[in-house]
């Protein structure tokens, strides 16, 4: 194509060269075009000469123009000659093009073909460019896929390295396959279970270290060998039922040897211990009498609720005896730990929880048999309430462990304990309501042993109810309080003198309040009740004590000292009426106070309580004497008695002297 373009170019150049020699061409174009007449053109009105002078000035220095002007040739003629020459050259050029028309046509065709070929090449190259772009995108995608595959390969290598050991562990060797298919492997598992029956076997260790290795075999049997699985399951249930039942039976028998008897059916608040038979009195030293009503150190069992169970042979070797609630806690601690371990093992090994209840049907029966033999003979109300609190604490422990296997059993025990406690409590209540007052009465104004029993018993139950707020128990304690109030009043009335009755009541109320306070500040309504009774009886005793030593003075103050002397009363107070009172008081007030002090010391068991009563009596005496002094000041001629009046400061000094004794 390049050569064709060069040929065409040479041909056009040659035609232009030939035009310079147009004078030699024989063909005369003048024949066809005629003479050119420039004069007509010059004279045409369309031609404007404006600016001609300027153009001539610009052409003055032009060599061609200067040459023309030097020859003297007319410009118009010269111009016409040039025009003719140009016309001739033009005609010659046209003639040359006509001669080369075939070549030009051929050149045009060649150029058009070349353009078509170039257009095809352009289309081809554009397609090739698009394909290259597509290939670049594919290469990028392949690169990303390659990187992703490389990452996956890396991750799979890491996973393979971690799974290699596990895969090796789970691969069943060919020999094991032969044993499973052709051997007696199920008999092998049963023999492993029967190993639990061997004496002195640590069941938990055997379960964790031996049996759990075969849990996948059991899982396989459960899925693919149902009949064999049922046989293995039944063998395990039978084995564990017998083993655990035997263990608990032996443990209970060992615990029974450690039991300390606390109370019998006759150990009631309102029962006279002196009326028991000869045989009963013979057993008296064997029992811990104080523990029947007082809580004492027995409360510590609730602080040791999660301590390990007792080991019977160690306790037996030391000849130690325990109240039943200690044995009760120990038995149920062992039950909780054993049940928790067995429940978790059954869930892990067999994958089902119901198997636990079939296993523990035997142990539950053994414990129920023991408990049903103990409970009807239990008359220890404090011990029963402790067992109720122990069961509550054990329920909390199992709840924290999130193991529900003992929920129904513990509820059943709790339900059986409450009625028994209510029955024993009612026995105490009825012993007060039906008490033989004559048999209980002692000619002694000091606190009665029945009241002490009541105070210790009530204090113990209040203490055991602090964190529980049992309304039913509070109601029962209120019923018991009403019964002891009635019985104490009956005992007080057996004294012939009112003063002794009051002293007896004060001593018992004070002792009860002291015991309730020892249990802590939780005495509540019951303590407040006895404090009110103590306050009212103290006021009664103070009046009785003062009347005994200063009766005339008190009678005068209450009846006459408050009269209005300015009124027209029938009988005015005179000096003669008051003088014996003043002189009598002045002569023996100190000795009377000393007698009152001795009386108080001997009457009241609690020294502090007695001193408080004495101070109250002296304070009241001071008030009475002050009123008498005020009355004398208002009597006409009363100043004559001033020499016999005891000064208030002297009485105050004496009161302070006795106050310092405590």
């Amino acid at each position: 194509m390049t050569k064709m373009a060069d040929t065409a170019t040479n041909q056009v150049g040659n035609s232009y060269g030939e035009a310079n020699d147009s004078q030699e061409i024989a063909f005369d174009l003048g024949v066809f075009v005629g003479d050119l007449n420039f004069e007509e053109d010059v004279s045409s009105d369309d031609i404007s000469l404006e600016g001609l002078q300027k153009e001539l000035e610009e052409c003055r220095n032009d060599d061609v123009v200067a040459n023309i002007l030097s020859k003297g040739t007319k410009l118009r003629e010269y111009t016409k000659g040039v025009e003719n020459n140009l016309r001739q050259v033009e005609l010659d050029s046209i003639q040359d093009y006509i001669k080369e028309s075939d070549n030009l046509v051929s050149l045009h065709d060649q150029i058009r073909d070349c353009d078509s070929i170039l257009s095809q090449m352009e289309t081809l190259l554009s397609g090739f460019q698009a394909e290259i772009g597509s290939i670049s995108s594919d290469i990028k995608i392949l690169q990303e896929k390659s990187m992703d595959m490389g990452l996956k390969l890396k991750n799979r290598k890491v996973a393979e390295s971690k799974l290699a050991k596990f895969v090796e562990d789970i691969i069943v060797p060919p020999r094991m396959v032969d044993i499973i298919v052709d051997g007696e492997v199920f008999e092998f598992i049963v023999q492993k279970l029967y190993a639990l029956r061997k004496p002195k076997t640590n069941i938990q260790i055997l379960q964790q270290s031996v049996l759990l290795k075969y849990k996948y075999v059991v899982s396989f049997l459960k899925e693919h060998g149902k009949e064999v699985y049922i046989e293995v399951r039944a063998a395990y249930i039978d084995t564990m039922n017998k083993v655990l039942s035997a263990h608990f039976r032996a443990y209970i028998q060992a615990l029974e040897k450690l039991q300390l008897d606390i109370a019998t059916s006759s150990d009631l608040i309102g029962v006279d211990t002196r009326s028991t038979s000869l045989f009963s009195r013979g057993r008296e030293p064997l029992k811990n009498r104080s523990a029947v009503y007082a809580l004492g150190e027995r409360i510590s069992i609730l602080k040791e609720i999660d301590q390990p169970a007792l080991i019977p042979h160690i306790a037996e070797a030391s000849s130690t005896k325990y109240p039943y609630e200690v044995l009760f806690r120990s038995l149920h601690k062992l039950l909780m730990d054993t049940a928790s371990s067995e429940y978790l093992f059954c869930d892990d090994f067999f994958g089902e929880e119901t198997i636990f209840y079939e296993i523990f049907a035997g142990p539950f029966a053994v414990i129920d048999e023991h408990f049903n033999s103990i409970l009807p003979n239990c008359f220890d109300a404090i011990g029963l309430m402790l067992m109720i609190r122990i069961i509550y604490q054990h329920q909390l422990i199992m709840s924290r462990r999130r193991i529900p296997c003992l929920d129904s059993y513990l509820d059943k025990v709790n339900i059986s304990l409450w009625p028994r406690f209510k029955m024993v409590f009612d026995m105490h209540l009825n012993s007060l309501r039906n008490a033989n007052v004559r048999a209980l009465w002692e000619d002694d104004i000091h606190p009665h042993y029945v009241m002490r029993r009541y105070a210790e018993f009530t204090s113990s139950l209040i203490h055991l109810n602090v964190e529980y707020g049992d309304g039913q128990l509070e109601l029962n304690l209120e019923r018991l309080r009403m019964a002891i109030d009635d019985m104490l009043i009956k005992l007080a009335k057996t004294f012939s003198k009112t003063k002794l009755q009051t002293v007896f009541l004060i001593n018992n109320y004070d002792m009860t309040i002291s015991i309730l306070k020892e249990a802590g500040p939780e005495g509540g309504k019951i303590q407040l009740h006895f404090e009110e009774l103590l306050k009212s009886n103290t006021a009664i005793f103070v009046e009785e004590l003062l009347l005994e030593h200063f009766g005339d003075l008190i009678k005068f103050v209450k009846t006459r000292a408050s009269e209005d002397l300015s009124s027209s009363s029938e009988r005015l107070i005179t000096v003669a009426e008051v003088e014996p009172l003043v002189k009598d008081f002045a002569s023996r007030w100190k000795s009377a106070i000393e007698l009152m002090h001795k009386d108080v010391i001997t009457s009241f068991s609690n020294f502090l309580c007695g001193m408080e009563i004495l101070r109250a009596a002296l304070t009241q005496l001071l008030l009475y004497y002050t009123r008498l002094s005020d009355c004398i000041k208002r009597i006409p001629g009363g100043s004559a008695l001033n020499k016999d009046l005891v000064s208030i400061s002297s009485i105050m000094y004496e009161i302070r002297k006795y106050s310092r004794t405590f």
Side-chain angles (χ1 to χ4, degrees):
M1 290 179 65
T2 305
K3 290 181 178 181
M4 292 174 62
D6 293 340
T7 304
T9 304
N10 292 331
Q11 290 177 351
V12 173
N14 292 335
S15 64
Y16 277 111
E18 291 176 357
N20 293 329
D21 299 330
S22 58
Q23 294 179 357
E24 298 178 1
I25 298 175
F27 182 73
D28 186 5
L29 290 176
V31 178
F32 298 97
V33 299
D35 295 329
L36 294 175
N37 189 2
F38 287 98
E39 292 180 358
E40 295 177 2
D41 294 334
V42 172
S43 63
S44 174
D45 295 335
D46 295 333
I47 298 174
S48 176
L49 300 178
E50 184 181 357
L52 179 61
Q53 184 64 30
K54 183 179 178 180
E55 291 180 0
L56 290 176
E57 289 295 329
E58 292 176 355
C59 294
R60 177 180 297 177
N61 297 324
D62 186 89
D63 293 338
V64 177
V65 174
N67 187 29
I68 293 173
L69 292 177
S70 64
K71 290 181 179 181
T73 306
K74 290 182 180 181
L75 182 60
R76 186 177 301 274
E77 293 178 356
Y78 188 80
T79 301
K80 187 176 181 181
V82 171
E83 289 290 340
N84 290 330
N85 291 334
L86 289 174
R87 184 68 175 174
Q88 185 62 44
V89 170
E90 180 181 4
L91 292 175
D92 292 340
S93 297
I94 291 172
Q95 188 64 37
D96 290 337
Y97 276 102
I98 291 173
K99 290 180 179 180
E100 296 294 333
S101 61
D102 292 338
N103 292 333
L104 290 173
V105 170
S106 175
L107 177 62
H108 178 267
D109 292 339
Q110 290 176 2
I111 291 172
R112 187 175 58 188
D113 292 342
C114 181
D115 188 36
S116 175
I117 291 171
L118 291 174
S119 177
Q120 291 177 4
M121 289 182 67
E122 181 182 11
T123 302
L124 180 64
L125 291 174
S126 297
F128 181 68
Q129 183 180 10
E131 289 180 1
I132 290 175
S134 176
I135 291 171
S136 176
S137 176
D138 292 343
I139 290 173
K140 185 177 181 181
I141 293 172
L142 289 174
Q143 184 179 11
E144 292 176 354
K145 288 183 178 180
S146 176
M147 293 175 64
D148 185 51
M149 291 175 67
L151 181 61
K152 289 181 179 179
L153 178 61
K154 181 180 179 181
N155 292 338
R156 288 177 181 177
K157 286 182 177 179
V158 174
E160 180 184 8
S161 64
K162 294 184 178 296
L163 290 174
K165 187 177 184 305
F166 176 75
V167 172
E168 291 177 0
D169 292 339
I170 64 173
I171 290 176
V172 181
R175 185 173 180 277
M176 182 178 291
V177 174
D178 294 338
I179 294 174
I180 293 175
V181 174
D182 301 325
E184 296 294 332
V185 66
F186 307 131
E187 182 66 23
F188 167 79
I189 294 178
V190 172
Q191 291 300 323
K192 290 291 183 183
L193 298 180
Y194 284 163
L196 296 168
R197 299 185 179 185
K198 294 180 180 179
K200 299 182 180 180
T201 298
N202 190 315
I203 296 174
Q204 284 77 20
I205 291 179
L206 185 61
Q207 287 174 335
Q208 297 298 322
S209 62
V210 178
L211 295 182
L212 277 182
K213 294 180 180 179
Y214 305 104
K215 71 176 184 179
Y216 297 109
V217 176
V218 174
S219 177
F220 176 82
L221 292 176
K222 187 176 181 180
E223 185 71 22
H224 303 286
K226 198 68 176 180
E227 294 180 358
V228 179
Y229 170 76
I230 293 173
E231 180 183 351
V232 172
R233 183 180 185 275
Y236 181 79
I237 292 173
D238 180 66
T239 297
M240 291 304 298
N241 188 305
K242 292 178 179 178
V243 169
L244 294 178
S245 297
H247 283 185
F248 276 100
R249 183 175 289 106
Y251 188 73
I252 289 171
Q253 291 173 353
L255 288 180
E256 289 175 346
K257 298 177 182 178
L258 305 175
Q259 184 174 345
L260 174 66
D261 291 331
I262 297 294
T264 64
S265 59
S266 61
D267 290 316
L268 302 173
I269 296 175
V271 173
D272 180 17
T273 56
R274 299 171 302 177
S275 64
T276 54
S277 65
L278 176 64
F279 298 102
S280 297
R281 287 198 298 271
R283 291 175 57 233
E284 191 77 15
L286 299 178
K287 296 191 299 180
N288 187 356
R289 302 293 303 172
S290 63
V292 176
Y293 311 103
L295 184 60
E297 294 301 319
R298 298 173 72 181
I299 187 65
S300 62
I301 191 66
L302 297 179
K303 300 176 183 177
E304 302 168 357
I305 197 69
D306 208 19
Q307 292 296 312
L310 285 175
I311 301 176
H313 69 271
I314 295 178
E316 189 174 0
S318 61
S319 300
T320 306
K321 299 289 185 179
Y322 301 94
Y324 183 71
E325 69 268 10
V326 176
L327 309 181
F328 179 84
R329 184 210 70 86
S330 187
L331 174 61
H332 284 81
K333 169 63 175 174
L334 179 64
L335 175 63
M336 284 196 307
D337 293 344
T338 305
S340 298
S341 176
E342 188 62 31
Y343 179 84
L344 295 174
F345 174 77
C346 290
D347 185 43
D348 193 12
F349 190 71
F350 290 98
E352 55 177 301
E353 302 173 358
T354 55
I355 192 173
F356 168 85
Y357 300 99
E358 298 180 54
I359 292 170
F360 265 76
F364 284 155
V366 171
I367 297 173
D368 287 343
E369 179 184 358
H370 159 74
F371 198 55
N372 292 335
S373 67
I374 292 291
L375 199 59
N377 298 313
C378 182
F379 297 94
D380 180 12
I382 303 299
L384 288 168
M385 182 52 64
L386 282 170
M387 286 187 277
I388 290 172
R389 300 313 184 206
I390 287 170
I391 286 294
Y392 177 79
Q393 294 296 329
H394 283 170
Q395 287 175 323
L396 292 180
I397 291 172
M398 294 302 290
S399 176
R400 287 194 291 267
R401 292 180 182 181
R402 297 185 178 181
I403 298 178
C405 59
L406 293 182
D407 288 354
S408 59
Y409 170 78
L410 294 176
D411 287 340
K412 183 181 72 173
V413 174
N414 190 50
I415 291 172
S416 64
L417 284 170
W418 271 108
R420 183 63 190 179
F421 170 79
K422 182 65 167 56
M423 191 197 78
V424 175
F425 186 91
D426 287 345
M427 290 174 66
H428 285 285
L429 179 63
N430 293 328
S431 73
L432 293 175
R433 289 176 174 174
N434 304 325
N436 186 342
V437 177
R438 290 184 177 275
L440 292 175
W441 182 75
E442 297 175 341
D443 191 10
D444 187 356
I445 59 174
H446 293 92
H448 198 276
Y449 64 87
V450 170
M451 194 63 180
R452 177 172 292 278
R453 289 177 185 174
Y454 162 79
E456 291 175 346
F457 184 76
T458 300
S459 176
S460 299
L461 293 180
I462 289 174
H463 195 85
L464 290 174
N465 199 38
V466 170
E467 298 180 3
Y468 304 92
D470 193 306
Q472 189 64 33
L473 180 58
E474 292 176 356
L475 181 61
N476 285 326
L477 288 174
E478 184 65 19
R479 294 167 59 211
L480 191 67
R481 194 271 306 161
M482 295 170 64
I484 196 66
D485 278 349
D486 293 340
M487 194 208 73
L488 194 63
I489 295 296
K490 292 176 182 178
L491 285 173
K493 287 181 179 179
T494 57
F495 291 94
S496 57
K497 296 181 180 180
T498 305
K499 178 184 174 183
L500 295 178
Q501 295 176 7
T502 306
V503 171
F504 175 76
L505 291 175
I506 290 175
N507 280 328
N508 281 279
Y509 293 149
D510 179 67
M511 178 269 298
T512 302
I513 293 170
S514 298
I515 292 176
L516 290 176
K517 286 182 177 179
E518 288 176 4
E522 301 87 12
K525 294 188 298 182
I526 295 178
Q527 182 176 320
L528 290 176
H529 170 77
F530 286 112
E531 287 175 350
E532 289 296 325
L533 291 176
L534 177 62
K535 182 179 179 181
S536 62
N537 280 275
T538 297
I540 293 172
F541 176 80
V542 166
E543 287 298 316
E544 291 175 349
L545 184 63
L546 292 176
L547 284 171
E548 183 179 338
H549 295 280
F550 304 99
D552 294 337
L553 184 150
I554 294 172
K555 182 179 179 181
F556 174 82
V557 170
K558 287 185 175 181
T559 58
R560 302 279 285 162
S562 59
E563 293 180 1
D564 187 359
L565 300 180
S566 63
S567 64
S568 58
S569 84
E570 297 179 357
R571 188 168 64 89
L572 295 176
I573 301 174
T574 63
V575 173
E577 183 181 356
V578 177
E579 185 177 7
L581 298 177
V582 173
K583 290 184 177 181
D584 178 66
F585 184 84
S587 64
R588 64 181 186 85
W589 70 278
K590 287 187 178 181
S591 60
I593 290 177
E594 181 61 30
L595 290 174
M596 290 170 58
H597 175 256
K598 291 180 180 179
D599 193 0
V600 168
I601 291 296
T602 57
S603 297
F604 299 105
S605 305
N606 186 347
F607 176 78
L608 293 178
C609 177
M611 289 298 99
E612 286 290 342
I613 293 173
L614 178 60
R615 184 168 62 176
L618 295 177
T619 303
Q620 187 63 33
L621 175 62
L622 179 62
L623 293 175
Y624 283 138
Y625 192 74
T626 302
R627 290 176 63 185
L628 176 64
S629 299
D630 292 340
C631 179
I632 292 173
K633 292 177 183 178
R634 292 184 284 114
I635 298 174
S639 58
L641 299 176
N642 288 343
K643 65 180 184 302
D644 295 321
L645 285 174
V646 179
S647 65
I648 300 299
S649 60
S650 298
I651 299 175
M652 289 289 294
Y653 175 79
E654 200 69 18
I655 292 176
R656 285 195 293 270
K657 184 175 71 174
Y658 282 101
S659 298
R660 286 195 294 270
T661 59
F662 59 97

